[in-house]
Amino acid sequence: MTEAFIVDAVRTPVGRRKGALSGVHPADLGAHVLRALIDRTGIDPGSVDDVYFGCVSQIGAQTANVARTSWLAGGLPQHVPGTTIDRQCGSSQQAVHFAAQAVMSGSADLVVAGGVEAMSLVPIGSPATLGEREGMGVPYDGEGWRSHFGDQEISQFRGAELIAEKWGISRQDMERYALASHRRALAAQAGGAFADEIVPAFGLEADEGPRADTSPEKMAGLKPLTAGGRLTAAVSSQISDGAAALLVASEDAVRRLGLAPLARVHTMAVVGSDPVLMLTGPIPATEKILDRSGVPLDRIDLVEINEAFAPVVQAWLAETGADPERTNAFGGAIALGHPLGATGARLMTTLVHQLCRTGGRYGLQTMCEGGGMANATVVERV
């Protein structure tokens, strides 16, 4: 089986809700990173075998296979196909997995993986809420579902509250974690850590999410998302707009085209988990991938775990014993934002560039996903 190499990875800055990228069509966001990736790697775009893009809320401007429309919006060759993936928040991490699997199986030499989400234009949950409004039903109301899970609330917000309760994570604990995320992101920006991965887009040059004015006092004054709950907006990922793309290549393509990869995809895993708690999947996913890869946790130099909510990462840290200083060392989605379908590719882009910048060898990426799932990926710098 051939190796799968990440040749390069790029992303837009992540825009705030109603911020600098809010007026940009999602296909144009996607096209922007696709063109930048082609330009940076110098490959013939006509030699790309396929394009896999993650996108969660596939409605309105994000329908009709946004992987394909993004490629075509970039003026790229029409004979190159594309497909759009929905594994909820892990959609573009799954795109990387599919790209690597295609290359490793020998069925492709060059595959683009990435994702896009314009949450200012297409709000989270739009397919479900608009579908219900039009009489199309709701996801968790079928006879089979109710026979197993009843009519209890199924949502990421409830899942995060249940995790905080189960692991004994207080609101103050979560706010301390969130404050650290902003401070790490601001330090990374100030130190130029994102310079190699960000492609300025539509007038935006840096991530809009990190807040220098965040303070414990401001966080403490926010109302909880649900009455009597612990979660607030301050300890939750930000609604965002953005896109990211990576080029995955075979050994033969790397050699033949004279490419200089950043990393190789070492190991991949995906698991299902409790759909009610919903967001605990990174815990068993990490156990599975460490066992499969043979790389112990203490040899993992950097971890990117999506900060959907602070307790997701805090419970993961408690269960795995991972080093907090190596985990989301450059800030996470609480500070940098979470454009749903793009975040998996954004995390991977950050991970491979920061391994190169810091000289680390192994990186781990994992993220929770709606419905109770999680992807995990180990990459090795080359």
Side-chain angles (χ1 to χ4, degrees), residues 60-360:
Q62 295 182 164
T63 56
N65 190 0
V66 73
R68 176 69 172 160
T69 55
S70 293
W71 183 263
L72 295 177
L76 297 164
Q78 295 180 15
H79 69 266
V80 176
T83 194
T84 304
I85 298 158
D86 175 9
R87 198 190 282 279
Q88 297 292 281
C89 294
S91 296
S92 55
Q93 185 174 2
Q94 185 62 57
V96 175
H97 283 203
F98 282 157
Q101 289 161 356
V103 165
M104 294 167 76
S105 71
S107 63
D109 281 317
L110 291 173
V111 183
V112 173
V116 65
E117 200 87 22
M119 297 179 75
S120 295
L121 176 66
V122 185
I124 184 172
S126 292
T129 55
L130 294 177
E132 182 179 10
R133 186 184 306 167
E134 294 299 316
M136 299 177 190
V138 296
Y140 307 118
D141 195 37
E143 182 177 338
W145 180 273
R146 285 186 277 106
S147 71
H148 291 94
F149 301 104
D151 59 359
Q152 63 182 309
E153 177 190 347
I154 303 292
S155 75
Q156 58 179 326
F157 305 104
R158 181 177 181 230
E161 286 283 4
L162 291 172
I163 290 169
E165 181 180 339
K166 180 175 180 178
W167 272 271
I169 303 166
S170 70
R171 174 171 169 168
Q172 291 72 30
D173 292 334
M174 292 187 280
E175 289 172 347
R176 281 191 289 269
Y177 179 88
L179 184 61
S181 183
H182 282 279
R183 288 177 173 171
R184 288 180 174 190
L186 290 164
Q189 285 184 325
F194 300 135
D196 289 338
E197 66 189 67
I198 287 181
V199 178
F202 305 96
L204 184 63
E205 296 189 356
D207 299 309
E208 288 186 297
R211 295 187 174 99
D213 61 349
T214 295
S215 68
E217 293 75 23
K218 286 186 176 181
M219 290 184 177
L222 295 177
K223 292 182 179 180
L225 299 179
T226 57
R230 309 180 193 195
L231 293 176
T232 67
V235 303
S236 309
S237 57
Q238 295 187 41
I239 294 170
S240 311
D241 307 311
L246 304 90
L247 179 64
V248 180
S250 67
E251 291 175 276
D252 178 68
V254 166
R255 183 172 52 252
R256 177 165 39 84
L257 300 175
L259 301 174
L262 303 176
R264 75 179 181 99
V265 179
H266 187 286
T267 313
M268 297 168 283
V270 63
V271 302
S273 61
D274 184 336
V276 179
L277 282 174
M278 191 178 290
L279 309 178
T280 57
I283 297 168
T286 298
E287 180 180 5
K288 182 175 183 178
I289 201 165
L290 294 178
D291 179 66
R292 179 177 288 178
S293 69
V295 180
L297 189 57
D298 61 9
R299 292 188 64 196
I300 298 291
D301 297 289
L302 293 173
V303 176
E304 288 290 330
I305 172 172
N306 191 37
E307 291 174 358
F309 300 91
V312 173
V313 183
Q314 292 172 293
W316 180 86
L317 286 167
E319 290 297 314
T320 62
D323 183 353
E325 296 304 311
R326 299 183 186 186
T327 303
N328 295 353
F330 312 97
I334 289 172
L336 294 168
H338 179 20
L340 303 175
T343 295
R346 200 287 293 172
L347 292 174
M348 184 61 70
T349 295
T350 296
L351 183 59
V352 295
H353 280 288
Q354 299 312 323
L355 284 174
C356 293
R357 193 178 69 86
T358 61

